[in-house]
Amino acid sequence: MELTPAVIGQMLVTGVLVGSIYGAVAMGFSLIFGVVRIVNFAHAGGVVWAMYAVFLVTSGGVLGPYLATALVIPVFFGLGYLLQRALMVRIADMTEEMHIVFTFGLLLVLTYLAQFAFGHDVRFLASSERHLAFGGIVVQREILVGGGVAALSALGLHVALARTWLGKAIRASADNRRGAVLIGLDVRALQRVAVAVSVASAALAGGLLATFTTLYPLRAFELAILAFLIVVLSGIRSLLGSFGGGVIVGVLEGAGTLLLSPSLAQLGIHALIFAALLIRPEGLWGRKEAV
Amino acid sequence: MLLRVRDLQVHYGPFQALFGVSLEIDEGEAVCLLGGNGAGKTTTLRALMGALPISGGTVELLGQRVEHRASHELAAMGMIHVPEGRELFPSLTVLENLELGCVTPGTRRRSAETLAVVLDLFPALRGRRRQLAGTLSGGEQQMVAIGRGLMGRPKLLMLDEPSLGLAPVLVDAVFATLERIKAEGTTIVVVEQHIHHALRVCGRGYVLEGGRIAQEGSTADLGRSDRLRAAYLGM
């Protein structure tokens, strides 16, 4: 393909939009890490199960994928609340290695349950086949809507954490948990809300991804590694930083696919992230010293 | 009676830290807990605040038994803790730190009003509202910690070593503030190493020694006590 300005522009726009959804996945991942101090690899398992849920609801033929997503989000919010209440609170005081064993194990369980329930087949939702064109750049409608909704939700989450009392209390318990307990904040309740919001954000990202990408159980592993790399690249503490990291990875993926090939693009992304971390081990937006 | 503690016992694993501490605090009083390092002052405060498990004894707050309630439930009842070492939220702003002291919906509704009172008490914080709490000096951080406690409109304000790590002139300022808070009618319990300051603000005191109450009485009597000096000098 010839690299005309329109082709490059299209690659950038699509990359930013798809990257916004990666960013939303990464934000949910770093929200849990910030508040509960658990690296939750199972987060991507939630994304993929949300994709299947949206796929199943949509295949009923009554609801479109966006309404299906709106239906799945509150269910996942409740599941996240239960996940924290019943499971994660029990492992919170264990070592980080145990956290990884536990959440990676949960990712395996979710992946193999998906394989058992849905098989290995690659599935996809019917596309609207509608495209929007401006200035020679053509974008599939689902990608435009998905990226836009993901970016707005990320902004909404950021504003809610910055401005509301509940958001400030969640940030406070991430900043100094002992202090939060001592002054009388109900830290366990705040953690349950934070994990519920995180899992709900996984459902949103899953629903949006399902509208334009393929779906198979092992997608969970690819997304888990992608989200982990994004938050490590961004410095895991900053939610907006994680979102920005997602956008960068989306653009790199687009550029790699355009210039090389899809599989070489994945290799290229990981090589670039590795190189970035060698130069800035604290992450792109991370502070030199963790407070 | 605002707070009645009977025979409070606390264990850290197999080690007993408190061997039956009893305290009585009336509304409007200012009471100090004195004693050397390891005497059990902070343990007493944290156990009362629900931050440590209690292995024996009873705690009555406003006539209700509360010895197994969690910190956030006690804070909602008006027992507010200004912890040792300040325990601020360093990457949040001064204003956000203060707002987080409003732990109940009722105090949140009145937060603007309370904030005005707190900023009158600590005018130095007025210009620093948007600054990150972690960038303040030690004295300013202590003001934020006390201010954050006041934002919860405490019935009982429990301060753990508010003078820790502060220069003498700032210690004076902190205790002058405590005198004003007491004059407004807030009941105060303060754990303190600076006995002379504590005795100036508080009407009564308890001296802890080895996890027990060794002495109690008016601060005038305690000030003359050889035993208090002994407790501090570790003799």
Side-chain angles (χ1 to χ4, degrees):
Chain A
M1 191 185 292
E2 204 184 335
L3 289 182
T4 61
V7 168
I8 292 172
Q10 177 156 335
M11 177 276 285
L12 286 174
V13 169
T14 309
V16 167
L17 290 168
V18 175
S20 295
I21 303 179
Y22 294 161
V25 175
M27 257 177 122
F29 190 87
S30 64
L31 178 63
I32 291 195
F33 180 77
V35 177
V36 195
R37 291 269 172 268
I38 289 176
V39 175
N40 181 23
F41 282 106
H43 189 69
V47 175
V48 165
W49 268 88
M51 289 171 86
Y52 275 111
V54 168
F55 186 84
L56 286 179
V57 174
T58 311
S59 66
V62 182
L63 294 178
Y66 297 116
L67 275 177
T69 304
L71 208 67
V72 167
I73 287 171
V75 174
F76 272 59
F77 184 90
L79 289 174
Y81 194 90
L82 289 177
L83 171 73
Q84 172 63 20
R85 173 155 214 148
L87 290 174
M88 302 247 277
V89 73
R90 290 173 205 275
I91 64 162
D93 294 331
M94 296 181 188
T95 61
E96 282 173 20
E97 289 83 357
M98 286 303 293
H99 293 166
I100 292 173
V101 168
F102 178 84
T103 65
F104 204 78
L106 193 55
L107 174 65
L108 283 171
V109 169
L110 289 172
T111 305
Y112 290 125
L113 273 179
Q115 260 178 22
F116 176 73
F118 309 111
H120 295 270
D121 295 348
V122 175
R123 293 159 197 263
F124 47 89
L125 288 171
S127 161
S128 65
E129 305 286 346
R130 302 236 304 262
H131 294 78
L132 285 104
F134 43 96
I137 297 172
V138 183
V139 181
Q140 192 188 333
R141 193 188 73 165
E142 282 83 0
I143 293 179
L144 188 64
V145 172
V149 170
L152 283 178
S153 319
L155 190 66
L157 180 59
H158 173 75
V159 170
L161 285 170
R163 299 280 168 82
T164 67
W165 189 86
L166 183 66
K168 289 171 193 171
I170 286 174
R171 280 161 53 221
S173 59
D175 200 24
N176 176 1
R177 182 158 77 178
R178 183 175 56 176
V181 170
L182 288 175
I183 70 158
L185 296 178
D186 190 352
V187 171
R188 289 188 164 209
L190 293 169
Q191 290 178 336
R192 291 196 283 267
V193 172
V195 174
V197 167
S198 167
V199 176
S201 80
L204 174 71
L208 297 173
L209 278 176
T211 60
F212 65 90
T213 63
T214 53
L215 173 55
Y216 42 91
L218 282 174
R219 192 79 210 271
F221 274 85
E222 296 167 15
L223 283 171
I225 289 165
L226 194 69
F228 183 66
L229 286 175
I230 290 170
V231 296
V232 171
L233 174 73
S234 316
I236 197 162
R237 280 155 184 273
S238 154
L239 289 195
L240 273 191
S242 296
F243 180 77
V247 172
I248 290 177
V249 166
V251 171
L252 287 177
E253 193 182 72
T257 309
L258 183 66
L259 301 173
L260 309 164
S261 74
S263 51
L264 274 180
Q266 291 303 321
L267 187 68
I269 290 169
H270 295 150
L272 275 173
I273 290 175
F274 198 63
L277 286 174
L278 282 177
I279 299 162
R280 278 186 69 86
E282 66 277 15
L284 288 184
W285 290 279
R287 268 171 259 145
K288 281 262 183 243
E289 246 178 308
V291 179
Chain B
M1 189 67 54
L2 186 62
L3 182 74
R4 175 177 284 143
V5 182
R6 285 206 187 110
D7 199 29
L8 183 68
Q9 300 187 33
V10 170
H11 287 78
Y12 290 111
F15 302 105
Q16 190 159 5
L18 295 185
F19 297 84
V21 167
S22 298
L23 311 165
E24 291 194 343
I25 290 152
D26 261 325
E27 222 154 297
E29 265 196 307
V31 174
C32 50
L33 300 185
L34 304 165
N37 277 328
K41 307 178 304 275
T42 292
T43 302
T44 303
L45 222 55
R46 293 215 168 155
L48 292 178
M49 277 312 306
L52 282 177
I54 291 171
S55 40
T58 61
V59 181
E60 265 178 50
L61 178 65
L62 294 159
Q64 286 186 56
R65 290 278 295 271
V66 296
E67 60 267 18
H68 295 301
R69 298 220 182 153
S71 300
H72 68 270
E73 295 170 305
L74 295 166
M77 290 177 73
M79 182 149 93
I80 306 269
H81 190 179
V82 179
E84 182 184 358
R86 307 184 273 271
E87 300 283 356
L88 296 184
F89 307 116
S91 63
L92 273 62
T93 66
V94 168
L95 185 60
E96 288 173 331
N97 268 273
L98 292 173
E99 286 169 340
L100 286 165
C102 301
V103 292
T104 60
T107 53
R108 285 201 277 287
R109 274 194 295 278
R110 297 163 75 187
S111 73
E113 193 189 320
T114 323
L115 182 67
V117 174
V118 169
L119 290 179
D120 274 347
L121 203 57
F122 301 110
L125 297 183
R126 204 176 282 277
R128 302 204 179 275
R129 273 175 290 185
R130 309 276 166 209
Q131 199 170 324
L132 297 186
T135 65
L136 298 179
S137 70
E140 289 163 338
Q141 290 197 5
Q142 189 60 58
M143 293 177 199
V144 176
I146 297 174
R148 184 178 61 178
L150 292 174
M151 292 297 286
R153 297 200 166 234
K155 293 196 176 72
L156 174 59
L157 189 65
M158 310 231 279
L159 302 106
D160 197 350
E161 304 243 16
S163 66
L164 196 71
L166 298 187
V169 57
L170 291 172
V171 177
D172 286 340
V174 164
F175 277 91
T177 312
L178 290 186
E179 277 186 296
R180 284 185 63 188
I181 295 168
K182 178 191 163 193
E184 308 270 327
T186 305
T187 312
I188 293 177
V189 172
V190 54
V191 161
E192 196 39 69
Q193 296 273 7
H194 284 82
I195 33 180
H196 297 294
H197 287 96
L199 296 177
R200 198 181 78 204
V201 175
C202 300
R204 273 191 323 118
Y206 294 86
V207 181
L208 281 141
E209 231 179 86
R212 292 182 173 85
I213 301 283
Q215 199 176 1
E216 61 178 282
S218 74
T219 46
D221 290 342
L222 290 178
R224 288 191 291 272
S225 157
D226 291 337
R227 186 145 193 188
L228 183 58
R229 290 196 190 96
Y232 273 88
L233 296 173
M235 282 151 49

